[in-house]
Amino acid sequence: MAAEEKKAKLSHTLLPAESMKVMAEAVGIAQVPEETCQLLADEVSYRVKEITQDALKFMHMGKRRKLTTSDVDYALKLKNVEPLYGFHAQEFIPFRYASGGGRELYFYEEKEVDLSDIINTPLPRVPLDVCLKAHWLSIEGTQPAIPENPPPAPKEQQKAEATEPLKPTKPGQEEVGTLKGKGQSASTPDGKGKEKKGPVLEGAPLKLKPRSIHELSVEQQLYYKEITEACVGSCEAKRAEALQSIATDPGLYQMLPRFSTFISEGVRVNVVQNNLALLIYLMRMVKALMDNPTLYLEKYLHELIPAVMTCIVSRQLCLRPDVDNHWALRDFAARLIAQICKNFSTTTNNIQSRITKTFTKSWVDDKTPWTTRYGSIAGLAELGHDVIKTLILPRLQVEGERVRGIVEGPVVSNIDKIGADHVQSLLLKHCAPVLAKIRPPPDNQDCYKADYGYLGALLCTHVVKARAQAALQAQQVNRTTLTITQPRPTLTLSQAPQGPPRAPSIIKVPSSITLPVQTLVSGRPSTPTQPSPPPTKYIVMSSASGNSTSQQVITFSTSAVGTATSPVSTTAPGVQPVVKLVSTAQTAPSATVTGSVQKYIVVSLPAPGEGGKAGGPPAQLSPSAPSGLPLPGLAPPASTTVKLEPSDSPQAPPGTPIPFGKANGAQGGVAGSPQPSQ
Amino acid sequence: MYLELVYNQHENEAKSFFEKFHGDQECYYQDDMRVLSSLTKKEHMKGNETMLDFRTSKFVLRISRDSYQLLKRHLQEKQNNQIWNIVQEHLYIDIFDGMPRSKQQIDAMVGSLAGEAKREANKAKVFFGLLKEPEIEVPLDDEDEEGENEEGKPKKKKPKRDSMGSKSKKQDPNAPPQNRIPLPELKDSDKLDKIMNMKEATKRVRLGPEYLPSICFYTFLNAYQGLTAVDTTDDSSMIVGGFADSTVRVWSVTPKKLRSVKSAADLSLIDKESDDVLERIMDERTASELKILYGHSGPVYGTSFSPDRNYLLSCSEDGTVRLWSLQTFTCLVGYKGHNYPVWDTQFSPYGYYFVSGGHDRVARLWATDHYQPLRIFAGHLADVTCTRFHPNSNYIATGSADRTVRLWDVLNGNCVRIFTGHKGPIHSLAFSPNGRFLATGATDGRVLLWDIGHGLMAGELKGHTDTIYALRFSRDGEILASGSMDNTVRLWDAVKVFEDLETDDFTTATGHINLPENSQDLLLGTYMTKSTPVIHLHFTRRNLLLASGAYSPQ
């Protein structure tokens, strides 16, 4: 029926005479002459057209855009024809299409319905009743930015304004008109935060619109106050809510300049005061703003970029740089910068090249402290493989020497040491995958050493691992054996005492730091270029390093870690396995991030008493745990002593969540050892 | 021509003729062409009303004398007697002296099913002025003669009413006599209401291009595409929605809930002498924000509150117009007259009368206390899709699917104006508060403004991209608001349109107008809704714009 209507809209379309024949047969008239069929076809086509046109009338009067079956019913009623009963598909009629023998056919698939099924199925929920809701569409000519209204300025429009801000505006967009242009100098953000605000002196009186901020309504002011308070306040739940609001609300456009100023001022003040937590909160706000699909940030980059950059390269971000985990903030901010570059860098504003220049400059400088150094490298590394290849790899040798100077030289200061360790692990982390791609397969330690100096050996190990991983993922094999060399168990007991004093600071930080990583991971699915394989878990079983015979990597495609551990214990009978969390793929460079959950569980063979204790970590890493938690890890020289166990995995006492901050902090202590995650 | 061929059973020739010439037709006739194209058999023509129209009525062409001579000569030279016959038979050629019109002028005027309006059609005198307001002193004293002319008294109660017209403060020369049609007497409650109205009017926001109104949008949620009609009371206290599921729902939008009167038994117990008798007759138990009125058996296409807020009209696909009491929330009368769906209905601004228009191509005037119509306005060639009373209640405007707007005289039932120019069925009408102008909106997405006195098009407002279902002038007539299927509310500068209006002698004589293309200058604001077609607009007494529509999830 409805299929015929579709056709009827074209002029002079006729139903084929054959269908008349078919219909006639369907009602039991066998022999219909050809002429009759033709006549009938004409007649039926005309009637169908007529009824359809009447039905259109009902559609118009019903103030709808879609013709419904009831419209056709009413049109039939108009002609004193019994309406068709049983056609009440409200929304959408699933026409099937079939073609064959050069003909096209549309049909409506009708399923046979068993009445008893209908009787037995529970009643559907009663649809909600009609209700009336009032909101302000416009207040004295301007449209308030509330969820009930469509986004005041679609992103394209904001973009257009950012690029050509002096176009005359139409009425009705007035509020937009007054808003825009305030970020006119936004296209000249300077990497160091010295934005050029001077007007372009080019003779022509280029009108620079005042940077005055749009008047906010009382509600907006309240909202702004609430949001900013929640974002930097102490209540984590509130903060999550506020960030969620920033990331999703469509009407924040008018408040954007204020948020931007809030962030940049906040960073300025808190860097001076070394208030790490607040800086983290502010960076999370930046992240949320960037996540909001209705906001176009370009006009405010001149404020945001310096703020973010500060968080990456600042000399000191926290009161106690030796214990507080400011590295995570640097990593996070570096990712933000990378995303900004990705989203906003164009050939005209050159954001990426400027940022790169800034990073490189501070890195190359000999006097740069390790913190800044770390930030620069992180920032560069996040910018992608090409940047790593062209800027980082050539400097690996120099950097390696510098690291060696600290690590192997006379103990200068703890801070420097930690910094150097971080830089080293960062370099390894980012460079290995790149190297794995650009270097031909035979990985020779000596070659690497020749090419990259001090770091060469480590790099080589990592590259091997990266390759193996890639191979693993590519093959998707169930069982692969991976050889893990453990060249230097450099774990020193001197770091064990760091555990207890760290605790207070960790307690302060953990929830705040773990969350950005969470959001980061969840917000990231756009970054990975590779299709993410299903989550796999690696369980590395290693025997004691002393009598190391074989290490096995067992890949399980199942999810429950708990079940995964049991086969391990059975495959290695006679030993008490300690299952230990090693690391995840989170820290891998963006280009090779698989986006999947990868958990490494190293099974070592400690003294029998350790089994029960070590059973805890897998439970923590159950699928509900944030995938992004980088757990520092090492394949410990397992069977050496029992006491080593608590010292290198103090962060994983059974049953307690593993704080990111602590975990990362511990990374420094074990930096010399190979990290299976790489 | 095509029809002749069909009629004489030259089917194939007819088809080829159609193929050849339908491209020459203006695009806005394509709907008709579609109807035509479906016709290929003689039998089909019986019973097809459109065909009947084509065959019986003449297509009106306005042509200058020179052009007419040219056409005549051309046809004679070519010996095309047949065509000449057809021209004579089916075209009414309205000849005028003077310059031929420009293409643009023609484009502006054509579009209706039966060509343009004849010139004579718009010559009748129309009293478009407002009726004198009955004199009511704010402290109630004896007044009420409507006919009395107290010239001496300044009408301070009608502030700003005539801000744009050139009307004198005294008697409007264009106004019809007060007793031209009998109007109901004012009741005490009406007077109270008028006083309220005036008080509100003094607080009214004065609108203009710099002072745009605030818009409050009432969204009908969960309406599942069923909302077909909305109306608001004059004092904006209630909103009614007509739904495709045959229900009529009345909402109170003020904190005051809707209550119905107590039952007769309870009522007899009430002390009728007490001061608060009006309060006492209400049944508190029935108080609710929403009342649902059941009674129709088809989609409700039109609703209208009576000016005194005691009654509600609704019209439906089932062919009836129903009068509901808002005291008891029950149906009082079902007016049966239209045998086909009734598309629209509206109360007179003075109550008592109401008009309805429907698929049967006529508009009917009713009085609430008569079960038969008082007048039948026949003349439209297709469905009457919308009906509106003139503010002075002496005229009725109807818009039709034949793409014309007609103005009818309530007194004698004559058609006094035909406005052609829309290219699609008309779906909304609005009179300016001073009664001089009429705004019409159609499926073509244009708003046309008409000068009723001269019978001329006064302006064209382009901008909407879909059917315009709602039009309303602000209380002082400065702003015209239009709401459309394209999910926007647009505000237009009405004052400027009418200021620019040129009415020289030639224009009035021939009815040719030159419209400036200034829609963009006149557009004061566009407000998008969130996929909510705007189907009703209403200015409150303080010039707050209320818009409403049903949210339709995509």
Side-chain angles (χ1 to χ4, degrees):
Chain A
M1 181 70 204
E4 291 163 3
E5 280 155 24
K6 269 188 190 168
K7 288 185 185 171
K9 286 186 181 170
L10 310 166
S11 59
H12 282 316
T13 320
L14 286 181
L15 294 174
E18 292 96 72
S19 35
M20 293 303 121
K21 213 170 211 168
V22 174
M23 287 178 203
E25 279 164 15
V27 293
I29 306 165
Q31 300 282 316
V32 185
E34 198 63 32
E35 288 167 38
T36 321
C37 280
Q38 192 56 49
L39 280 173
L40 268 175
D42 283 356
E43 177 69 20
V44 170
S45 321
Y46 168 69
R47 293 295 169 202
V48 167
K49 284 176 192 179
E50 203 180 6
I51 286 164
T52 315
Q53 277 161 359
D54 276 338
L56 274 178
K57 213 178 266 175
F58 280 94
M59 180 193 76
H60 278 302
M61 292 312 298
K63 299 174 172 79
R64 273 176 281 116
R65 281 203 190 86
K66 217 185 263 174
L67 191 69
T68 63
T69 46
S70 57
D71 289 333
V72 180
D73 285 351
Y74 294 129
L76 285 170
K77 231 167 123 185
L78 214 60
K79 302 272 173 213
N80 279 328
V81 181
E82 182 93 345
L84 295 167
Y85 296 109
F87 285 90
H88 287 290
Q90 275 298 317
E91 275 305 302
F92 156 78
I93 306 171
F95 277 114
R96 305 291 285 291
Y97 169 78
S99 67
R103 293 201 302 175
E104 297 172 353
L105 190 64
Y106 292 91
F107 64 98
Y108 172 39
E109 198 178 34
E110 284 176 301
K111 291 195 187 77
E112 273 186 32
V113 181
D114 191 354
L115 282 179
S116 61
D117 281 357
I118 294 182
I119 294 166
N120 291 333
T121 47
L123 286 174
R125 271 192 315 137
V126 178
L128 294 171
D129 200 13
V130 185
C131 63
L132 201 60
K133 187 170 189 294
H135 72 269
W136 290 107
L137 184 67
S138 146
I139 296 172
E140 288 174 1
T142 58
Q143 199 161 8
I146 47 176
E148 285 89 351
N149 286 333
K155 213 167 177 181
E156 291 73 30
Q157 194 187 330
Q158 293 178 30
K159 190 170 182 178
E161 279 158 13
T163 43
E164 39 180 318
L166 291 178
K167 215 173 68 186
T169 51
K170 291 216 177 70
Q173 303 165 352
E174 275 165 315
E175 89 273 23
V176 178
T178 53
L179 248 184
K180 76 186 186 184
K182 67 175 56 91
Q184 212 172 7
S185 53
S187 52
T188 61
D190 193 306
K192 284 184 174 170
K194 292 183 224 155
E195 55 161 321
K196 295 174 197 160
K197 279 187 193 168
V200 187
L201 299 170
E202 284 179 346
L206 181 62
K207 205 177 94 199
L208 269 185
K209 292 202 180 166
R211 280 169 51 89
S212 75
I213 291 170
H214 184 74
E215 285 290 313
L216 295 184
S217 66
V218 180
E219 292 85 355
Q220 282 173 321
Q221 289 175 16
L222 268 178
Y223 174 83
Y224 173 79
K225 196 164 153 262
E226 284 286 319
I227 286 283
T228 47
E229 274 173 9
C231 278
V232 297
S234 55
C235 173
E236 183 57 38
K238 252 190 179 170
R239 176 165 27 254
E241 227 166 81
L243 289 174
Q244 178 70 17
S245 167
I246 293 179
T248 51
D249 267 358
L252 297 180
Y253 180 55
Q254 296 177 341
M255 277 172 274
L256 201 45
R258 296 190 187 230
F259 278 130
S260 155
T261 314
F262 176 80
I263 291 167
S264 82
E265 288 299 313
V267 168
R268 194 169 301 173
V269 172
N270 287 305
V271 159
V272 175
Q273 297 185 344
N274 291 325
N275 194 335
L276 179 64
L278 276 181
L279 287 176
I280 290 167
Y281 301 152
L282 290 170
M283 285 304 107
R284 286 169 68 185
M285 273 180 82
V286 176
K287 171 77 184 155
L289 284 174
M290 292 199 24
D291 284 346
N292 191 321
T294 62
L295 294 178
Y296 189 74
L297 292 181
E298 181 159 28
K299 286 190 294 189
Y300 309 101
L301 287 183
H302 65 285
E303 286 184 324
L304 294 180
I305 291 187
V308 180
M309 292 286 278
T310 307
C311 290
I312 301 177
V313 298
S314 176
R315 185 181 304 250
Q316 195 177 0
L317 288 172
C318 46
L319 286 173
R320 284 170 302 170
D322 51 340
V323 285
D324 284 344
N325 185 12
H326 55 98
W327 312 106
L329 172 63
R330 291 176 200 273
D331 281 338
F332 183 63
R335 271 179 224 119
L336 274 180
I337 273 288
Q339 203 174 344
I340 288 174
C341 284
K342 201 163 145 270
N343 290 355
F344 301 107
S345 185
T346 61
T347 45
T348 44
N349 60 19
N350 272 333
I351 290 178
Q352 174 153 2
S353 66
R354 283 186 193 153
I355 288 175
T356 317
K357 236 176 261 168
T358 317
F359 281 140
T360 324
K361 221 170 108 197
S362 56
W363 185 25
V364 169
D365 192 357
D366 272 341
K367 295 187 184 72
T368 316
W370 283 103
T371 47
T372 307
R373 200 171 288 279
Y374 177 90
S376 307
I377 298 171
L380 283 174
E382 289 293 343
L383 288 175
H385 274 186
D386 286 344
V387 178
I388 294 178
K389 200 159 79 184
T390 51
L391 291 174
I392 299 187
L393 291 188
R395 288 191 50 83
L396 269 182
Q397 202 156 0
V398 184
E399 201 59 30
E401 286 310 308
R402 200 173 280 146
V403 172
R404 198 216 312 252
I406 298 293
V407 175
E408 296 184 351
V411 174
V412 204
S413 80
N414 206 14
I415 296 175
D416 275 355
K417 194 162 173 57
I418 294 172
D421 283 344
H422 267 101
V423 167
Q424 185 185 13
S425 56
L426 182 76
L427 282 173
L428 291 175
K429 184 177 79 180
H430 285 296
C431 293
V434 181
L435 281 175
K437 277 197 179 154
I438 59 170
R439 277 183 81 102
D443 295 315
N444 189 335
Q445 293 250 2
D446 297 333
C447 269
Y448 274 81
K449 258 184 191 153
D451 287 350
Y452 305 115
Y454 171 73
L455 292 171
L458 289 173
L459 266 177
C460 180
T461 323
H462 279 84
V463 169
V464 170
K465 253 179 269 170
R467 281 194 215 285
Q469 254 179 48
L472 259 180
Q473 285 161 14
Q475 292 169 9
Q476 286 289 318
V477 285
N478 278 341
R479 236 165 235 264
T480 320
T481 305
L482 175 71
T483 318
I484 300 175
T485 55
Q486 294 183 339
R488 297 186 308 146
T490 55
L491 201 70
T492 49
L493 278 171
S494 67
Q495 266 146 17
Q498 274 190 0
R502 242 184 265 146
S505 67
I506 295 155
I507 285 164
K508 203 166 66 180
V509 183
S511 60
S512 63
I513 295 188
T514 46
L515 255 164
V517 178
Q518 268 181 347
T519 51
L520 179 101
V521 169
S522 63
R524 256 201 151 180
S526 58
T527 352
T529 48
Q530 301 171 348
S532 25
T536 51
K537 294 187 182 64
Y538 301 89
I539 294 183
V540 180
M541 283 191 348
S542 69
S543 57
S545 64
N547 52 3
S548 124
T549 49
S550 72
Q551 287 99 9
Q552 276 182 297
V553 174
I554 304 155
T555 311
F556 288 94
S557 56
T558 55
S559 57
V561 180
T563 61
T565 47
S566 55
V568 169
S569 53
T570 53
T571 48
V575 287
Q576 292 279 352
V578 162
V579 183
K580 207 170 137 313
L581 304 168
V582 176
S583 179
T584 72
Q586 183 268 335
T587 46
S590 60
T592 52
V593 157
T594 59
S596 70
V597 187
Q598 290 187 331
K599 287 163 195 154
Y600 297 83
I601 297 166
V602 178
V603 183
S604 62
L605 304 170
E610 284 299 302
K613 182 188 176 183
Q620 291 155 18
L621 258 200
S622 63
S624 67
S627 58
L629 276 181
L631 290 161
L634 67 167
S639 70
T640 45
T641 60
V642 177
K643 281 179 182 129
L644 265 181
E645 275 301 323
S647 73
D648 61 358
S649 60
Q651 66 275 23
T656 55
I658 300 156
F660 172 38
K662 191 172 186 175
N664 225 357
Q667 215 168 358
V670 297
S673 70
Q675 294 181 354
S677 70
Q678 310 288 320
Chain B
M1 182 93 140
Y2 175 77
L3 298 176
E4 289 291 317
L5 287 171
V6 175
Y7 192 70
N8 298 323
Q9 303 206 327
H10 300 300
E11 191 181 316
N12 289 329
E13 288 87 336
K15 245 185 230 175
S16 58
F17 175 84
F18 183 83
E19 302 281 312
K20 198 167 168 191
F21 288 107
H22 75 97
D24 292 349
Q25 288 296 333
E26 312 288 338
C27 54
Y28 33 83
Y29 288 120
Q30 74 187 30
D31 286 343
D32 296 334
M33 287 302 123
R34 206 172 282 155
V35 176
L36 278 184
S37 68
S38 65
L39 271 183
T40 46
K41 284 282 187 323
K42 186 180 164 189
E43 301 84 60
H44 296 165
M45 293 179 65
K46 294 177 195 156
N48 187 317
E49 300 93 345
T50 320
M51 293 314 107
L52 216 63
D53 297 333
F54 273 121
R55 287 178 56 78
T56 52
S57 60
K58 296 187 171 188
F59 195 85
V60 181
L61 268 183
R62 270 198 225 172
I63 223 171
S64 79
R65 192 169 292 284
D66 297 347
S67 318
Y68 182 62
Q69 297 296 350
L70 276 173
L71 173 72
K72 215 164 164 184
R73 203 176 307 144
H74 173 77
L75 290 175
Q76 277 166 358
E77 276 170 13
K78 296 279 174 75
Q79 303 285 316
N80 269 344
N81 282 330
Q82 268 178 333
I83 294 187
W84 187 238
N85 282 340
I86 290 167
V87 166
Q88 290 203 316
E89 198 174 324
H90 288 295
L91 296 181
Y92 175 90
I93 299 187
D94 190 4
I95 301 160
F96 61 88
D97 296 310
M99 291 287 291
R101 296 177 298 171
S102 70
K103 179 90 172 85
Q104 184 226 343
Q105 283 173 322
I106 297 173
D107 276 348
M109 294 303 293
V110 298
S112 91
L113 190 62
E116 297 173 55
K118 296 173 200 170
R119 260 182 306 156
E120 292 80 56
N122 289 343
K123 287 295 174 224
K125 166 97 171 137
V126 173
F127 301 101
F128 55 80
L130 297 177
L131 286 182
K132 235 168 82 67
E133 290 283 314
E135 297 291 332
I136 303 173
E137 296 301 326
V138 175
L140 263 181
D141 51 35
D142 57 335
E143 62 334 293
D144 60 17
E145 273 79 329
E146 279 198 29
E148 70 175 349
N149 280 339
E150 291 172 274
E151 305 288 73
K153 276 194 187 173
K155 297 184 177 177
K156 51 181 177 289
K157 286 133 274 170
K158 281 201 327 182
K160 303 165 195 163
R161 236 328 145 78
D162 36 16
S163 54
M164 42 183 271
S166 57
K167 293 192 301 165
S168 71
K169 280 278 182 188
K170 299 168 185 176
Q171 178 65 5
D172 188 345
N174 289 315
Q178 291 288 3
N179 48 6
R180 193 162 175 264
I181 58 166
L183 290 171
E185 298 258 314
L186 281 182
K187 294 190 293 260
D188 279 354
S189 58
D190 296 337
K191 287 169 196 160
L192 278 170
D193 195 51
K194 282 251 188 290
I195 292 165
M196 275 302 295
N197 190 358
M198 287 161 194
K199 280 182 184 162
E200 295 263 339
T202 56
K203 294 180 194 160
R204 186 177 295 163
V205 183
R206 197 168 174 84
L207 299 176
E210 282 78 42
Y211 305 101
L212 295 176
S214 299
I215 307 174
C216 181
F217 202 97
Y218 286 99
T219 312
F220 289 81
L221 298 171
N222 312 318
Y224 306 111
Q225 300 224 332
L227 183 69
T228 47
V230 177
D231 194 34
T232 318
T233 54
D234 189 60
D235 67 349
S236 316
S237 62
M238 284 184 276
I239 284 186
V240 64
F243 289 83
D245 61 0
S246 316
T247 57
V248 177
R249 289 159 196 255
V250 185
W251 279 271
S252 166
V253 292
T254 54
K256 210 172 127 191
K257 298 205 165 160
L258 299 174
R259 295 170 302 179
S260 55
V261 189
K262 289 176 184 167
S263 68
D266 292 341
L267 280 178
S268 60
L269 300 175
I270 293 175
D271 173 17
K272 294 176 188 64
E273 300 305 315
S274 74
D275 291 337
D276 58 346
V277 65
L278 287 176
E279 267 306 302
R280 288 201 187 182
I281 58 170
M282 292 303 181
D283 190 353
E284 275 307 324
R285 280 168 302 172
T286 59
S288 66
E289 281 180 6
L290 164 67
K291 293 278 184 190
I292 306 178
L293 308 177
Y294 297 102
H296 281 295
S297 59
V300 179
Y301 288 118
T303 49
S304 175
F305 281 107
S306 72
D308 61 2
R309 296 190 303 283
N310 283 329
Y311 303 105
L312 171 70
L313 278 174
S314 64
C315 63
S316 158
E317 186 268 343
D318 60 12
T320 60
V321 180
R322 281 176 187 273
L323 181 75
W324 309 83
S325 162
L326 296 181
Q327 303 288 340
T328 58
F329 293 98
T330 51
C331 182
L332 300 177
V333 197
Y335 301 94
K336 292 172 186 167
H338 296 275
N339 282 322
Y340 289 106
V342 189
W343 296 133
D344 198 10
T345 184
Q346 202 213 0
F347 254 113
S348 148
Y350 293 90
Y352 187 60
Y353 299 109
F354 65 92
V355 64
S356 65
H359 179 72
D360 55 1
R361 296 150 180 244
V362 295
R364 287 164 203 250
L365 179 80
W366 311 74
T368 46
D369 53 1
H370 289 69
Y371 65 90
Q372 280 182 324
L374 305 179
R375 298 277 183 278
I376 293 182
F377 306 109
H380 277 298
L381 297 175
D383 307 26
V384 176
T385 50
C386 51
T387 52
R388 279 292 171 276
F389 263 97
H390 190 276
N392 68 16
S393 193
N394 278 259
Y395 296 92
I396 288 167
T398 56
S400 163
D402 67 4
R403 305 187 283 280
T404 61
V405 176
R406 285 171 188 253
L407 194 68
W408 310 86
D409 192 334
V410 167
L411 183 66
N412 49 25
N414 289 335
C415 176
V416 289
R417 289 285 182 273
I418 302 177
F419 298 124
T420 60
H422 272 299
K423 319 293 189 223
I426 320 279
H427 278 286
S428 52
L429 296 167
F431 280 98
S432 69
N434 64 4
R436 278 186 67 191
F437 301 101
L438 174 68
T440 59
T443 50
D444 57 4
R446 299 183 313 153
V447 177
L448 295 184
L449 298 158
W450 309 91
D451 182 337
I452 295 170
H454 297 103
L456 292 176
M457 192 186 293
E460 178 187 14
L461 305 172
K462 289 181 189 165
H464 281 294
T465 56
D466 210 330
T467 310
I468 295 162
Y469 280 116
L471 276 173
R472 193 61 80 113
F473 280 95
S474 68
R475 292 281 169 150
D476 302 328
E478 290 118 332
I479 301 266
L480 173 66
S482 61
S484 157
M485 197 72 184
D486 62 9
N487 306 339
T488 57
V489 175
R490 283 170 204 256
L491 302 178
W492 311 87
D493 189 343
V495 179
K496 207 166 155 196
V497 183
F498 300 131
E499 268 174 3
D500 296 349
L501 190 60
E502 41 156 324
T503 44
D504 52 46
D505 291 340
F506 174 75
T507 321
T508 29
T510 58
H512 303 159
I513 32 103
N514 281 307
L515 290 176
E517 282 283 333
N518 57 354
S519 295
Q520 287 310 310
D521 304 338
L522 299 171
L523 180 64
L524 297 176
T526 303
Y527 305 100
M528 292 287 292
T529 66
K530 229 175 183 178
S531 68
T532 312
V534 184
I535 64 171
H536 183 74
L537 291 168
H538 175 78
F539 274 97
T540 66
R541 289 173 177 171
R542 296 188 191 181
N543 264 342
L544 172 73
L545 180 59
L546 306 181
S548 47
Y551 176 71
S552 61
Q554 293 306 308

